[in-house]
Amino acid sequence: MAANWWLALIIMVVLNGILVWTLFVEGYSASRRAKKWFFIVVNVIGLILAVSQFFWMDF
């Protein structure tokens, strides 16, 4: 069960790392509203992936 929590944490960290890299390092120029929605969408996808792995992975 602890492996599931670590995998969920890794999923969220990786997706947020990609988000930060895209928005800040590469100089992605977008409006504040677009950045907010991009952040929300990435985190919702990450949350869905993190929760779904609890059901589909059997450790």
Side-chain angles (χ1 to χ4, degrees):
M1 188 66 172
N4 287 13
W5 287 106
W6 280 109
L7 186 58
L9 180 66
I10 289 168
I11 289 170
M12 293 302 290
V13 167
V14 167
L15 285 177
N16 279 298
I18 293 169
L19 173 74
V20 168
W21 183 267
T22 302
L23 290 179
F24 298 115
V25 175
E26 292 184 358
Y28 178 69
S29 61
S31 67
R32 186 173 225 186
R33 187 175 186 183
K35 287 181 181 181
K36 178 181 83 170
W37 281 106
F38 188 52
F39 178 79
I40 290 170
V41 168
V42 166
N43 280 291
V44 166
I45 291 170
L47 186 61
I48 290 169
L49 289 173
V51 169
S52 67
Q53 63 88 22
F54 280 101
F55 298 110
W56 290 327
M57 297 190 77
D58 193 26
F59 286 102

